[in-house]
Amino acid sequence: MRVLELTEQPIHRIPFLNAAKGGGVESQQLPILAGRVDTLPEGLDALLVASDLQGVVRAGSDKSTRLLGEELVDVYLKLAAQGSVPAPERTGVLLAGDLYAAPNGDKRGASGDVRSVWEAFARSFRWVAGVEGNHDRFGTDAEKAALLSQPNLHLIDYGTIALETLSVGGVSGIMGDPAKPGRRDTKEFLAALAVTLEAQPDLLLLHQGPTGAAAQLGDEQVTALMGRYGSMLTVCGHVHWEQPLAALNPSMQVLNVDCRAIVLTR
């Protein structure tokens, strides 16, 4: 799969609250961009890809909030009803991790339960697949198992799965101290990535991705390992890129969706 075009101007922006660097809360906007790819599985009209939706949206007059990912689902449904994006039942969702924010949006790097976001996508879209970010939690083991029992919901630890005729690979988490949630020993992470790459998926999902151009930061070890393999589109997040698309070589693209959502159509 190859990205042929990305719009510069968003088709929509979602206002949300996020923790400010100096403390407190600030207002930000999640852009929803449009793009075109050269191929999609028969029966799919679009892929919605996103990651690092670490914010909250006011949900009512009582000042309660909900996670930004849940708001993205509702906004997409409204845009689909207007004909601005394809129907959700003909749209697959790919998530590259980190979907949690503190209830008041006032704590940077908060970790917590993201099951409500995954469930919202699974209820409304054809299917949802993705990898776990280092700030994502899924409740108890029993609660996580119940979530993953849904037939159209696929959390990839490592390896590949088949979605329609699309082969999707993924590796969850980031490199770091394995005693901390959402982290893998560096050797283990790279070994899991090598196994996944050897399967030659059409599309690769990572939370911690490779480097792109000079301002497109990532992990050099991931970049070097990916460079040994053939053509694929990699979707990642974790570190924000102002320019979301990069090419590692003529046949390998990287699409960074940190704090953005992109609707990819044929």
Side-chain angles (χ1 to χ4, degrees):
M1 182 179 292
R2 183 170 181 79
V3 177
L4 303 176
E5 179 184 30
L6 285 178
T7 59
E8 292 186 8
Q9 293 300 317
I11 58 177
H12 192 82
R13 295 180 185 270
I14 302 177
F16 69 96
L17 301 176
N18 194 17
K21 290 183 178 180
V25 178
E26 63 182 4
S27 296
Q28 295 185 4
Q29 293 186 332
L30 176 77
I32 303 177
L33 304 176
R36 290 193 305 117
V37 291
D38 59 354
T39 184
L40 284 174
E42 195 68 30
L44 271 191
D45 291 337
L47 290 173
L48 173 62
V49 295
S51 80
D52 297 86
L53 305 178
Q54 293 168 290
V56 297
V57 176
R58 295 293 183 197
S61 57
D62 61 353
K63 297 186 177 181
S64 61
T65 61
R66 63 174 176 172
L67 292 171
L68 178 57
E70 297 174 76
E71 181 73 7
L72 174 58
V73 172
D74 280 359
V75 168
Y76 189 98
L77 297 182
K78 291 175 183 176
L79 291 173
Q82 298 167 6
S84 300
V85 294
E89 61 269 19
R90 294 181 62 87
T91 300
V93 178
L94 298 170
L95 301 175
D98 276 3
L99 309 178
Y100 183 77
N104 294 319
D106 56 356
K107 182 180 178 182
R108 294 183 67 83
S111 299
D113 196 336
V114 296
R115 286 178 296 149
S116 61
V117 177
W118 280 79
E119 288 169 343
F121 280 111
R123 280 194 302 270
S124 296
F125 288 81
R126 189 179 186 95
W127 45 255
V128 55
V131 292
E132 183 177 339
N134 53 302
H135 293 294
D136 294 333
R137 306 292 180 263
F138 292 86
T140 65
D141 289 345
E143 289 170 335
K144 185 175 184 180
L147 178 75
L148 299 183
S149 68
Q150 300 181 49
N152 69 333
L153 189 154
H154 312 275
L155 178 62
I156 308 171
D157 184 20
Y158 75 92
T160 61
I161 61 172
L163 295 168
E164 318 281 342
T165 57
L166 185 68
S167 173
V168 178
V171 179
S172 281
I174 63 172
M175 287 178 273
D177 182 356
K180 296 181 178 180
R183 291 165 174 80
R184 290 181 131 105
D185 174 81
T186 297
K187 290 183 178 180
E188 180 189 342
F189 184 97
L190 294 175
L193 178 57
V195 168
T196 304
L197 289 167
E198 285 170 3
Q200 298 184 323
D202 302 312
L203 191 147
L204 176 68
L205 285 171
L206 300 172
H207 183 58
Q208 183 174 19
T211 57
Q216 295 171 317
L217 302 180
D219 189 271
E220 293 287 357
Q221 296 176 93
V222 173
T223 310
L225 184 55
M226 289 178 61
R228 303 176 194 172
Y229 293 86
S231 61
M232 68 186 68
L233 173 63
T234 296
V235 174
C236 63
H238 191 53
V239 178
H240 190 73
W241 294 359
E242 288 301 320
Q243 297 298 323
L245 188 63
L248 298 189
N249 59 50
S251 61
M252 185 174 289
Q253 293 179 310
V254 180
L255 184 61
N256 183 301
V257 290
D258 177 283
C259 201
R260 57 171 59 96
I262 304 178
V263 182
L264 298 172
T265 57
R266 188 183 297 104

